[in-house]
Amino acid sequence: MLALAPKAQAGDRDGNFAIKGVGLAPCADYLVALEANDPRLPMFLGWVSGYLTSFNQYEPNTYDIVDWQSDAYIMQSLRGFCAANKERRFFEAAYQMAQSLKDTRVNSESPLVIVEGPSGPIRLYRSTLDEVRAALESLGLLDEQAHGRDALTRALTDYQKANGLKATGAPDNPTLYALLVRR
């Protein structure tokens, strides 16, 4: 049993609850699976997907806690926590990651939009694209009156170049992190 949140929204009267599956595994096991790309890796990713789905269901004002982060981004985020906390349970890595994503979550249902990226299509919520546009406008890289894919691509390319990112013109994970989280 584990109680991490000061004010539990579920669990017993003390906020304790049972952790299931690979959530019980030490972070060191996840690191081994990740580095060796061993057969347990899909179990870890599946467990995290289920955990995040549950988070979406039970966390107030949350439609999707992971609005733009890819599976690869999630796996690397978990790697960061686990590398520094090898003896901790994998659940704790997922919990810490979910907490860190609360500021960028999608609060209410928003349609998905497909944007072409250098490695294929990127799925984003309309609300996330609106945030990207607003951030680029506030930096003076996108004219408020400019609409369409070409204007957004040019503004993203300019932002990427100015911030030492690979200039793809696409709203990829590194760009979204720099534009929406790090700023």
Side-chain angles (χ1 to χ4, degrees):
M1 291 196 225
L2 186 63
L4 289 177
K7 186 169 103 179
Q9 296 180 5
D12 66 14
R13 69 175 177 252
D14 297 322
N16 297 313
F17 54 91
I19 301 167
K20 304 292 185 182
V22 297
L24 291 167
C27 273
D29 288 3
Y30 172 70
L31 294 173
V32 169
L34 184 62
E35 299 305 321
N37 199 22
D38 82 17
R40 295 177 299 168
L41 191 56
M43 291 187 332
F44 282 101
L45 188 55
W47 189 92
V48 167
S49 293
Y51 177 77
L52 295 172
T53 298
S54 178
F55 195 94
N56 291 342
Q57 182 177 10
Y58 293 109
E59 183 68 23
N61 301 313
T62 303
Y63 177 74
D64 195 348
I65 190 69
V66 187
D67 68 337
W68 52 263
Q69 298 85 351
S70 66
D71 287 349
Y73 180 93
I74 290 168
M75 290 171 30
Q76 290 308 312
S77 176
L78 294 166
R79 181 184 182 280
F81 178 89
C82 284
N85 301 281
K86 293 178 182 169
E87 75 292 345
R88 306 286 289 273
R89 291 181 180 170
F90 185 66
F91 161 79
E92 294 176 72
Y95 173 84
Q96 292 299 327
M97 180 187 65
Q99 295 303 309
S100 74
L101 295 171
K102 285 171 102 172
D103 288 343
T104 61
R105 68 183 160 201
V106 175
N107 294 348
S108 59
E109 188 172 6
S110 180
L112 280 172
V113 178
I114 307 294
V115 178
E116 283 305 315
S119 316
I122 299 171
R123 293 170 27 131
L124 295 173
Y125 290 107
R126 166 63 57 201
S127 60
T128 302
L129 274 180
D130 292 344
E131 288 180 47
V132 167
R133 289 184 64 79
L136 292 168
E137 287 171 8
S138 73
L139 294 169
L141 296 171
L142 184 64
D143 186 320
E144 198 174 308
Q145 304 305 316
H147 296 286
R149 186 178 357 181
D150 291 342
L152 183 60
T153 300
R154 278 191 303 276
L156 283 167
T157 301
D158 291 345
Y159 177 81
Q160 291 162 334
K161 287 178 181 177
N163 287 277
L165 300 167
K166 185 176 180 184
T168 64
D172 51 28
N173 278 284
T175 304
L176 293 173
Y177 178 80
L179 188 61
L180 303 177
V181 177
R182 193 176 64 197
R183 63 182 176 125

